[in-house]
Amino acid sequence: MKGVCQSDHIGYDPSTDEVYIEYDRGKDSSLPVVIARGVAAITGKQVEEIPSLYSVVDPDALDSLFGPSSEENDRTLGKVSFEYYNFEITVYASDVVCIDISNADIELDHPRS
């Protein structure tokens, strides 16, 4: 699952059966691109082969939701969850995306616990 973001940290938490992506809002692609690339990497597909994020959520609104507030302060609280391509996606204001793979029919590079 390399190459999701330029400076990302990607991991797997077997206790929650989630893949998580930590990204840097200032350096990485937009949040919707990070999500699409993450799902594509998990499924072994190209981004072009999976449905558009627009089919479930407005990507511009998602980017705006976690962008700086009107006072230019970073948002540190909040989360939003939605289903995308049979995954439960949760985006946290702390620049972490969690992708629940517990119901997915995929093979990981390492066994699940």
Side-chain angles (χ1 to χ4, degrees):
M1 287 184 286
K2 297 191 185 289
V4 177
C5 308
Q6 293 172 357
S7 60
D8 55 10
H9 181 258
I10 303 170
Y12 171 69
D13 183 348
S15 68
T16 61
D17 212 13
E18 290 180 325
V19 171
Y20 60 88
I21 305 167
E22 296 175 6
Y23 68 99
D24 184 336
R25 186 178 315 279
K27 294 180 183 175
D28 293 321
S29 300
S30 71
L31 180 56
V33 171
V34 169
I35 293 168
R37 287 181 180 166
V39 168
I42 291 168
T43 60
K45 298 185 180 225
Q46 297 295 315
V47 172
E48 299 80 23
E49 296 176 300
I50 61 175
S52 168
L53 194 58
Y54 278 103
S55 65
V56 294
V57 68
D58 181 338
D60 295 329
L62 187 62
D63 239 355
S64 296
L65 182 64
F66 293 107
S69 66
S70 59
E71 293 85 34
E72 295 299 318
N73 295 323
D74 287 338
R75 299 177 197 263
T76 57
L77 299 175
K79 70 178 182 176
V80 65
S81 296
F82 55 92
E83 286 189 30
Y84 172 55
Y85 200 55
N86 297 322
F87 296 103
E88 179 75 19
I89 310 291
T90 303
V91 179
Y92 294 89
S94 59
D95 295 341
V96 174
V97 175
C98 290
I99 303 173
D100 183 344
I101 61 170
S102 60
N103 294 321
D105 185 24
I106 59 170
E107 293 293 324
L108 295 177
D109 293 338
H110 48 76
R112 294 182 183 172
S113 298

